[in-house]
Each structure stands twice: as structure tokens, then as C-alpha cells.
Amino acid sequence: MGKKLVGNHIRKLRFNHNEMTQQQLADKVGVTRQTIVALERGNYSPSLELAFRIALAFNLPLEEVFFYGESINSKNL
């Protein structure tokens, strides 16, 4: 059984939103660029509040940005 983790589609969504930079997203949701990097790499699971702020930044429902599931390693994200 693999490790359970919170994954996301942030990198793909940034690209699909006029190639938004990590810094632009960070500024929009009130965190550092390093936080966005950690999220995209799967090294950090956001608070519920931050997850909602990111979803709102993309004007998408939470479940279209984040998912919960099994993974052997972070490359499956």
C-alpha cells in the first residue's frame, strides 16, 4: 500500500492561466514563492484556508486543484 498524500495540479493550472509565474500566484494568495515551489513538488500540504485561496485564484472548485490519493512517490503527481 502506498503513502497517502495530497496532490495538486498547480503547475499545470499556472501554465494554463497565461503562464502565471510561481511568484504571481504566491502574491495572489499571500504566501512566498518557496511555498508554491514546495506545494508543486509535493513536499508540503496546504492548510485548508490556503487550498481554498489557491482554488479561488484559479476560479476553480477545490477538487479541481487538489486531490487525495495513494502514491508510491511524488513523481505520480
Side-chain angles (χ1 to χ4, degrees), residues 7-52:
N8 67 73
H9 302 289
I10 294 172
R11 188 165 190 241
K12 178 177 70 171
L13 290 167
R14 283 193 307 101
F15 182 79
N16 292 336
H17 280 78
N18 298 318
E19 298 185 14
M20 179 189 296
T21 67
Q22 291 171 331
Q23 187 64 58
Q24 288 170 322
L25 178 58
D27 291 343
K28 199 167 191 174
V29 300
V31 297
T32 65
R33 185 186 65 80
Q34 289 82 0
T35 299
I36 301 302
V37 170
L39 284 165
E40 288 183 359
R41 289 183 178 167
N43 296 332
Y44 175 68
S45 293
S47 67
L48 188 55
E49 180 183 352
L50 177 55
F52 274 106

Side-chain angles (χ1 to χ4, degrees), residues 34-72:
Q34 289 82 0
T35 299
I36 301 302
V37 170
L39 284 165
E40 288 183 359
R41 289 183 178 167
N43 296 332
Y44 175 68
S45 293
S47 67
L48 188 55
E49 180 183 352
L50 177 55
F52 274 106
R53 288 195 320 247
I54 291 170
L56 287 170
F58 292 119
N59 198 29
L60 290 171
L62 190 66
E63 61 273 9
E64 289 187 30
V65 180
F66 295 93
F67 58 89
Y68 181 74
E70 279 188 30
S71 175
I72 294 171

